Amino acid sequence: TKRGYDHFMLKEIHEQPHAVRQSIQGRIPDSREYVALDEFEPGEFDDVRDVQFVACGTSYHAALYARQFLLDRGIPSNVHSAGEYATNPPPLEEDTLVIGVTQSGETADTLASLRYAQAAGARTLAVTNVVGSTAAREFDDALFIRAGPEIGVAATKTFSSQVVTLALLSEVLTRDRTGSYSDQLDTLLAGLQALPDQFESLLGTNEVSHLLESYRGQDAYFFIGRAEGYPVALEGALKFKEITYEHAEGFAAGELKHGPLALVGPKTPVFAVFTGRNVEKTLGNVQEVKARGAPVIGITHQDHDKVTAVVDDVLPIPAAAPCLRGLLANVQLQLVSYHVADALGRDIDKPRNLAKSVTVE
Ligand code: F6R
């Protein structure tokens, strides 16, 4: 049941503190000196030389976020859209680890990609929410994100649980590859432990609703970010278009000047995600859109005067560990999409032309 919420989506947005607590439950020791992912033997990924993620939609964005965790630990990886990968796969070796990220565990393109990789002799790992799913059963390993059932078609809490689980996995891969956890281990684990309460405090305020009136009836909505803010910008735009049916696009902030600026004007609000990284550069992009009359909504932690001085409106987030701030920004953007869709009277839990699991290629 929706337990007092108007929609499953809103209920599931509010379940994120609990979902993330479940995701880390028993996986972070008090000492924070190691990661307890009992699914894997120490050294299990010793011989992995290449990491490829395959996923679709929101899970693709979670994989992009995971790529950032690996990048920050000196481990390169590629993220592939599963629909492309399955039909146009990159070279694979036995020491390639292919990680399929799929909430439902039933997405046809993701399953086809993993099957291709398995047949080619690569190592396959499914990261999923559904214990009895095809993805959980068919491949070398399964890692569960433990978000609890998600009923709303729009993925919300599963994105957060995917990112949190993949953050833990990034440290396991680092350990196996380099012989030790990264020097960011304690910061990451402490950040993850603090995250559920930060989700709660964010969800306890309602900063979004006052914004909606001023930003209704626009031509298009753009979302920009860098580093971990980039997948969040893509996810913000995907959620927005899928449930409001308004035109929304997400960009890496640096891409704006390579074409998209042609569309920017007073009727194209721009949501700019700030995680604390590359702030000056993103502010430069904000100036570019403001010069064309676009209103800018900055998603940023409260005391970030540099940002708040420049943007038109602020959606505040708690000052979490910088690598996790994208998750909090994402919650604000989920709320934006939800409230805009609700004001437009959309069928939020069953948006048109989308199924909870897409079982055709
Ligand atoms: C967006 C959404 C879809 C799914 C995509 C992958 O809100 O729900 O984009 O994320 O179809 O689904 P899974 O994760 O089940 O493979």
Side-chain angles (χ1 to χ4, degrees), residues 102-108 153 354-360:
T102 166
Q103 182 282 128
S104 64
E106 303 296 349
T107 297
V153 164
L354 182 66
K356 187 63 189 164
S357 41
V358 180
T359 53
V360 290

